[in-house]
Amino acid sequence: MKATLRLPLLVLVPLAPVVAVAGMTPAHAAPPSACSASWPQFGHDELHSAAAAMCPGADNITAGNASGLAPRWFLPTQGAVTAEPAVVGGTVYVGDSSGSFRAITAANGLVKWSFTSTDQHKAAFGEFPSSPEVASLPGSPHPLAFVGGGGTLYALDSVTGKKVWGTDVDPAQPTSAIEIESSPVVNLSTSPPEVIVGSDDNGSPGIQVTGIQAFNAYTGALLWKYEPERDTVVHSLGDDHQGNACGDVWSSPALDTQAGLVVFGTGNCADQTGAIAAHDFATNSGIFAVNAKTGQRVWSFFEPPNQYDTGQPSDSATGDDDFGSSAAIVHNVALPGGKHAPLVIEASKSGYAYAVDERSGRLVWKDEPSQAGQLSPQLVGAVGGTIGGLSVGQAAGRPAAFMTSAIPLPFAGPGVDLGATPPGATADTSLANDPRRAVSLHAVDLATGAVIWQDALSAPSYAPTSYSGGVVFAPSTTAFDVAAYDANTGKPLWGAPIAAAASGGTSIVGPDAFLGTGTSFGSAGPLPVPPQAFGVWSFGIAGPAAP
C-alpha cells in the first residue's frame, strides 16, 4: 500500500509562537541585493546541486556572516507553502496548497500578480505542492513559469501571470487522484524545448498509469511519456487506465544535458501482485535514467533488500521505501583508487543513501545515515528516512552531500501490524549499534558514502537542504524553525522561529534567503491542526545593500 501521507503527521508537530506579520521590516535589515544571480527552479539548477551561486562583489551568505541573518518580510498565504520558491529577476515565484500561485517582489514582499488553479483532480497535498521553474524560451516575449497545480501542468507568463497553456496529465478522468508533486525541469537543448515532470497516483490502482513525461514548452503538447510500471514509452495521455500504481514519480527529475539523460526516483508498488500478474515491470522503489529526447529507459537501479523487507510480493510486507527525495547529479567525482565518475546521489525513505554511476546505473556505494520511520502498513506507511532533497557542497575539505531525515521510529519490517493478534512490531535492534541514525542532519562524503558529521541539535525534517558559501540551510518540520549550520562541522550558526512546519527548501540569492512555510494534506484544503503561519519568509544579511 502506498503511503497516503508522505508529509509528517501534524499532530506530532509542536506549536511555536507567532513571530511575524505581513509587511514586517526590521530597522536593521537592508533591502535585498541587486545581485544578478537567481534560483530559477527546485534544487537551483537542472543537476539539483541546491547550491547558491556566489555573486562577485556582493554580500553572499557564508559561514562568516550567517549569524547576521534577519527577517526582511513575511507574506501570509491561505494555504501551506511546501514548495521551494523560484527567484528570478528580483521576483519570487511560488504557489500554495489553496490553489494560488504568486509573483512576489523580492525586495518588499508585495504581490505583483496571482493565478488561481482551475484543476479538479483530488490532489492529496494541495494544488501547488512543488516548485516552479522560470525559464526563457527562444522567441518568447517573456520568461515562462512552469508549475504543477493538482493534475495540471501550467505555463504562466512570468510578467503578467496569464496562463499560456495548461495540460492535464489525466484528461480522460479530470477528477482522478492523479497529481503533480514533482517539480518540472526545462530542457532547452532539444527542439522544441521540453518541460519534464513526474506524475503520481497516491497509491490508487486502476487509473491512468503514472510516470515521467515531457511536454512541448511552447504548446503543452505531450512529446513522450515513460511509464516505469510497464517499462514503455507512450505518446498519448489516455492510452489506458488500468495501472497498478507501481511507477509513480513524486520526486523531481534531474537533467544532464551533457549526457542527454533525465534521472528520477519512483515510489513503491501499491499492487505488486496485480502488476506481476499483468507481467508489468513492478519492482519496488527505483532510480531511473531515460533518454532526454525520446524517454527510452537507459538504465534502472532498484533498492536492494534491507531490514525493512520480508520478501513477500505485497507492499504491506515490504514497507513504504519510496525514492521521494529527488536525485542530484555530480560530475567527475574523485573515487577511491584514483578513478573519476559522474554520480547520481539519491536517498530513500528506508534511511539508506545511494550513489550510482550515471553512465551505467551501477552501484558505487550505499550507506545508512538515517533511521527509517516505518509506522504501520494499515496507517500511513513510512514517515522517516530521507524525503527532502539534498544539497552538494564542501565539508571538512571533501565534496559532500547534505541531507535531512524525517521522523525516526525504532521498528524493523513494515512497522506496527494492526492486523495481527495482538498488534505488534519487531524492534530494529540495529539502531542500538548506530544511534546516530536518529539524528536529523547529515553530511555524507560524495566519494565513499561515509558520514562526515551528524548534527545532534537538528530536529526531524521533511524539507530539502540548501548550500551557500560553507553554510547548510535545513528548515525543520517538527521544530517550527529554520536553521543554518556550518558545512564543515555541523555546528549551528543561526536559527529563527517561523511558527509553521516547514517542508520546503530555502532559495538563496546573494545575501537573501526565501522560504515557504506550512505543511498540509487533503484535497479539501489545508488541515488547521495545529494552527500554522502559512506563508513566505524573506531573510537577509543585515547591513548596507551590496551594489
Side-chain angles (χ1 to χ4, degrees), residues 170-172 208-209 222 225 227 230 232-242:
D170 188 9
Q208 172 72 291
V209 177
L222 181 71
K225 175 185 176 185
E227 298 177 346
R230 304 191 305 173
T232 190
V233 176
V234 299
H235 299 88
S236 169
L237 287 172
D239 65 316
D240 80 69
H241 293 82
Q242 301 300 317

Side-chain angles (χ1 to χ4, degrees), residues 201-300:
D201 50 32
N202 289 298
S204 303
I207 61 175
Q208 172 72 291
V209 177
T210 52
I212 195 89
Q213 43 261 306
F215 300 94
N216 184 319
Y218 291 106
T219 66
L222 181 71
L223 298 173
W224 54 260
K225 175 185 176 185
Y226 174 73
E227 298 177 346
E229 177 177 308
R230 304 191 305 173
D231 192 27
T232 190
V233 176
V234 299
H235 299 88
S236 169
L237 287 172
D239 65 316
D240 80 69
H241 293 82
Q242 301 300 317
N244 290 291
C246 293
D248 59 299
V249 180
W250 55 281
S251 65
S252 300
L255 170 67
D256 187 344
T257 54
Q258 292 182 26
L261 295 178
V262 179
V263 181
F264 58 94
T266 61
N268 60 333
C269 192
D271 183 10
Q272 195 167 13
T273 301
I276 291 171
H279 305 289
D280 279 347
F281 196 45
T283 306
N284 268 2
S285 305
I287 304 172
F288 287 75
V290 300
N291 185 292
K293 293 182 179 180
T294 66
Q296 294 288 340
R297 179 171 62 92
V298 176
W299 55 257
S300 53

Side-chain angles (χ1 to χ4, degrees), residues 19-203:
V19 295
V21 294
M24 181 190 68
T25 305
H28 60 279
S33 157
C35 170
S36 61
S38 63
W39 193 286
Q41 64 189 92
F42 175 81
H44 178 268
D45 49 71
E46 58 194 22
L47 299 178
H48 289 171
S49 73
M54 296 289 100
C55 297
D59 292 328
N60 302 292
I61 298 174
T62 67
N65 62 20
S67 62
L69 284 163
R72 295 202 193 281
W73 50 260
F74 173 70
L75 174 70
T77 57
Q78 180 179 349
V81 182
T82 57
E84 189 174 278
V87 187
V88 176
T91 302
V92 179
Y93 299 89
V94 71
D96 70 58
S97 61
S98 74
S100 292
F101 184 87
R102 298 175 177 84
I104 307 163
T105 304
N108 54 28
L110 297 179
V111 176
K112 294 183 176 182
W113 55 257
S114 63
F115 169 83
T116 301
S117 172
T118 56
D119 182 86
Q120 298 298 310
H121 287 281
K122 297 180 177 65
F125 301 100
E127 285 299 304
F128 289 109
S130 57
S131 304
E133 175 168 357
V134 179
S136 296
L137 304 182
S140 291
H142 302 141
L144 300 183
F146 300 96
V147 65
T152 300
L153 180 66
Y154 292 103
L156 307 177
D157 187 302
S158 67
V159 174
T160 66
K162 293 186 179 299
K163 183 177 76 172
V164 177
W165 54 260
T167 299
D168 191 328
V169 295
D170 188 9
Q173 299 183 100
T175 60
S176 72
I178 278 184
E179 66 178 316
I180 299 173
E181 295 171 67
S182 174
S183 299
V185 62
V186 178
N187 185 1
L188 295 174
S189 71
T190 57
S191 182
E194 301 172 319
V195 186
I196 305 167
V197 73
S199 55
D200 183 17
D201 50 32
N202 289 298

